[in-house]
Amino acid sequence: MRAATASDVEAVVELRAVVMRPDLERLGRYDEHRVRQRLRDGFGPAHTWIIEVDGVLAGCVALRPGEDAHWLEHFLLAPHLHGNGVGTAVLRELLQRCDRDGATVRLNVLQGSPARRLYERHGFTTEAEDPVDVYMVRPPVPGRSARRPGGGGGDIRPTGSGCGASG
């Protein structure tokens, strides 16, 4: 992972349109313009990482500091990489950093999205639901360090020291 820059926005916008399309269509909410504009409006490179696999854009993820928690946002991974462990590795690393910092993490995921299972495996629980979104929260796990036992992580380590810092 590497720190995002403002110049990454359009590539991420297009990735979002591809990744989100099936779930948004299933919910009757897909709009070609809106799916792209929502990311443009919410893209904050200061709290975003670009996920690269073999030097190629594979996804992105943001941890935006909030009043009482960090918000996990724009966690997108190219469809051909789903189920390969890349998303798990990225999420594990970010959550370990938040645990070390004592930070609660919140997110919302679309109803029926397979990503919900990933979040539940990492300790997120449902706070609220509406017809479109499921709002989830994960309190920090005391005593977790920023490194997994035995090292690991390879090139997925984000730059920066805190769970919301990107470098």
Side-chain angles (χ1 to χ4, degrees):
M1 291 196 320
R2 66 168 174 80
T5 66
S7 65
D8 291 314
V9 70
E10 288 306 314
V12 174
V13 160
E14 291 309 314
L15 179 64
R16 183 178 196 266
V18 169
V19 170
M20 304 256 333
R21 186 175 191 141
D23 284 331
L24 290 171
E25 283 181 340
R26 180 180 41 77
L27 294 168
R29 310 228 356 138
Y30 185 77
D31 176 291
E32 290 268 343
H33 173 73
R34 184 172 182 213
V35 72
R36 289 169 172 85
Q37 194 59 47
R38 286 196 67 182
L39 186 105
R40 285 182 190 111
D41 292 345
F43 188 75
H47 302 289
T48 303
W49 293 275
I50 298 299
I51 302 163
E52 294 180 336
V53 173
D54 297 326
V56 176
L57 173 73
C60 78
V61 62
L63 267 174
R64 179 181 52 81
E67 197 170 299
D68 67 340
H70 281 60
W71 281 88
L72 183 73
E73 299 174 322
H74 311 303
F75 192 5
L76 305 166
L77 192 61
H80 73 279
L81 294 170
H82 292 183
N84 290 10
V86 175
T88 295
V90 169
L91 186 58
R92 180 185 302 122
E93 179 67 27
L94 294 176
L95 292 175
Q96 286 174 340
R97 287 168 171 261
C98 289
D99 288 344
R100 184 196 63 219
D101 294 346
T104 295
V105 181
R106 295 181 187 282
L107 60 84
N108 62 293
V109 62
L110 290 171
Q111 286 284 3
S113 171
R116 181 176 179 174
R117 289 188 305 274
L118 171 68
Y119 300 133
E120 288 171 341
R121 283 194 311 268
H122 287 273
F124 284 88
T125 58
T126 301
E127 269 192 314
E129 297 186 45
D130 64 29
V132 176
D133 290 303
V134 178
Y135 298 89
M136 304 182 85
V137 63
R138 181 187 177 276
V141 177
R144 286 200 41 194
S145 68
R147 294 185 184 268
R148 290 195 324 240
D155 293 335
I156 63 121
R157 294 206 182 277
T159 57
S161 59
C163 70
S166 65

